[in-house]
Amino acid sequence: MEKEAKIFVYGSSNICASCVGSPSSKETEEWLRAAIGRKFPEQPFQVEYVDIFAPQEDAEMKRMATMIVEEDYMYPVIVIDGDVIAEGNPRLKDIYAMMTDRGYQPA
């Protein structure tokens, strides 16, 4: 494994207009944590929710949140190690592929 993956779920407590009926960004964060933990057990990773409308102290988080708002991304936006992996309703297959590309071994 290259290093511990850091997965950020950027979103808002308000569901975007294009995503009505989809899980909230916070629900997506919780779902991803559980799904990745089952697929890659006992392998370290982090999943963190970032509210795109809350002030951010971290420069990279602030840049990403601003980009999502200004460029009208559908959220949640899933970012792994600085790479945008998905927006809107993410596909586990894509996220799992990024994890295996980083050296994670599926169960």
Side-chain angles (χ1 to χ4, degrees), residues 1 34-45 92-93 95-107:
M1 177 177 352
I36 293 168
R38 283 190 303 272
K39 184 74 170 181
F40 304 99
E42 299 179 26
Q43 297 171 69
F45 65 92
L92 277 177
K93 182 178 178 181
I95 294 164
Y96 290 163
M98 293 303 292
M99 298 293 286
T100 56
D101 287 350
R102 286 167 168 69
Y104 283 77
Q105 299 295 315

Side-chain angles (χ1 to χ4, degrees), residues 8-59:
F8 294 94
V9 179
Y10 287 85
S12 171
S13 57
N14 299 322
I15 296 175
C16 73
S18 302
C19 303
V20 173
S22 296
S24 71
S25 299
K26 186 67 177 157
E27 290 169 330
T28 299
E29 177 247 346
E30 294 165 356
W31 168 72
L32 279 177
R33 181 178 291 113
I36 293 168
R38 283 190 303 272
K39 184 74 170 181
F40 304 99
E42 299 179 26
Q43 297 171 69
F45 65 92
Q46 295 177 25
V47 179
E48 184 177 335
Y49 170 74
V50 180
D51 188 322
I52 59 176
F53 296 112
Q56 300 298 326
E57 292 183 21
D58 181 86

